[in-house]
Amino acid sequence: MTLRERRKRARWWREAGRVAALVWPLGVTAQAPAEQAVTLHYVPRPPYMVAQGEGLTGLTGGPSYQAFKKANVPVRVEETPFARQLRAVRENSGRDCMIGMFWKAEREAFARYSKPVYQDQPQLVLASAHLADRLKGLASIQDLFKERSLRLLVKLAYSYGAPLDAMMEQLQPNHRATPDENLQMLRQIKLGMADYMLIAPEEAAVAIEAAGFQAADFAQIRYRDMPAGEPRHLLCSQNVSEAVMRRLDAAITKIAAKHSTR
């Protein structure tokens, strides 16, 4: 090949390179970064939250998990103690959501609430069976809270719903706080470490059986002045954007509408 031919070929390759540099970006589709998964925390708490495969079922776990799937929000389910869940949401170090939370005004300062995923029935009082007559002799839940000789077992940092929280704040019942979940709390009641606890009626029978006891081991008292059941929500860290919360809310609305027509 002559020098003239080599120079001609070199010019051709330079021009081809310029054309390729202009044309190549036009054929590339920009890929949006993958949406980061939200960690959906739970504690095993039948009938509210029950693990099933990679997801959840139950009164609150089912609709919560389904909402993420219906809204196409990436999600991973993780079993986490309640206090650690609340700390993760408060610290806002990741994208975290808790299931079945009652509304509490101070939590709106550091977290986002979804629309309700479930509506509770009024709480009942659960105590060892030998206390049944004594508790039935009290006219109201307020009278029980005023009874200083009886000790209430409460979950640490837990909300029992705004009306009950306010009542306990006002009356200051004799109480003991524990980080344990309901099954362990039932065992503490049975062992006499505290006298009574509050529990949703939906949960009582299932929890007693799951804890290895019989229904006859406990008294279940329903007071007429017990506040109405509260709605339960997802509670998410602020790293879960408002746009994602709107998608979840839309999905929750659709799931609720589907269930109401059954």
Side-chain angles (χ1 to χ4, degrees):
M1 182 183 295
T2 66
L3 178 61
R4 182 177 179 181
E5 288 173 332
R6 286 199 297 271
R7 288 175 176 172
K8 185 176 181 181
R9 177 169 291 188
R11 283 198 300 273
W12 185 90
W13 279 111
R14 284 196 296 271
E15 290 300 320
R18 293 192 189 98
V19 172
L22 292 171
V23 172
W24 178 78
L26 299 177
V28 175
T29 302
Q31 295 291 322
E35 186 175 3
Q36 183 184 353
V38 174
T39 301
L40 184 61
H41 298 277
Y42 81 102
V43 291
R45 189 181 170 187
Y48 284 110
M49 291 173 271
V50 180
Q52 185 178 72
E54 295 182 355
L56 293 170
T57 61
L59 298 176
T60 57
S64 296
Y65 181 72
Q66 292 165 21
F68 280 88
K69 291 300 184 181
K70 186 174 284 290
N72 293 316
V73 176
V75 62
R76 66 184 186 91
V77 173
E78 184 173 304
E79 182 180 340
T80 312
F82 177 83
R84 197 182 304 166
Q85 293 183 36
L86 191 58
R87 184 166 63 249
V89 170
R90 184 188 298 272
E91 291 177 352
N92 196 36
S93 55
R95 286 159 56 93
D96 299 277
C97 288
M98 304 173 69
I99 297 172
M101 299 294 287
F102 293 134
W103 181 83
K104 203 170 184 179
E106 54 265 38
R107 289 178 179 166
E108 287 193 310
F110 62 83
R112 307 185 199 279
Y113 280 100
S114 73
K115 287 188 173 182
V117 296
Y118 182 72
Q119 173 71 45
D120 256 11
Q121 298 177 34
Q123 300 266 310
L124 58 78
V125 171
L126 188 143
S128 288
H130 74 276
L131 289 173
D133 290 342
R134 187 173 177 188
L135 268 61
K136 289 177 181 176
L138 298 170
S140 68
I141 186 65
Q142 295 193 48
D143 287 345
L144 176 57
F145 285 165
K146 292 174 184 177
E147 182 54 70
R148 306 299 298 173
S149 64
L150 294 173
R151 186 161 56 165
L152 167 66
L153 184 63
V154 297
K155 189 181 299 184
L156 191 66
Y158 186 77
S159 171
Y160 289 88
L164 271 172
D165 288 346
M167 191 184 297
M168 286 189 274
E169 179 66 25
Q170 178 189 358
L171 299 176
Q172 291 294 306
N174 179 17
H175 72 279
R176 176 175 177 269
T178 177
D180 291 332
E181 301 299 334
N182 276 359
L183 297 189
Q184 288 74 33
M185 291 173 71
L186 278 168
R187 295 187 180 105
Q188 292 180 46
I189 294 293
K190 191 71 174 65
L191 291 170
M193 299 169 68
D195 296 302
Y196 67 101
M197 61 184 281
L198 302 173
I199 191 169
E202 301 97 317
E203 185 174 16
V206 178
I208 289 169
E209 182 179 355
F213 299 117
Q214 303 295 319
D217 292 329
F218 297 93
Q220 299 181 39
I221 313 297
R222 299 171 187 261
Y223 290 107
R224 286 184 295 178
D225 66 334
M226 184 69 78
E230 294 277 291
R232 292 181 178 269
H233 310 256
L234 287 167
L235 181 70
C236 300
S237 60
Q238 291 186 342
N239 278 336
V240 180
S241 69
E242 291 184 358
V244 168
M245 296 303 296
R246 286 194 293 270
R247 287 159 61 190
L248 291 172
D249 282 345
I252 289 168
T253 299
K254 290 178 182 177
I255 291 167
K258 182 179 178 181
H259 283 211
S260 66
T261 58
R262 288 182 178 178

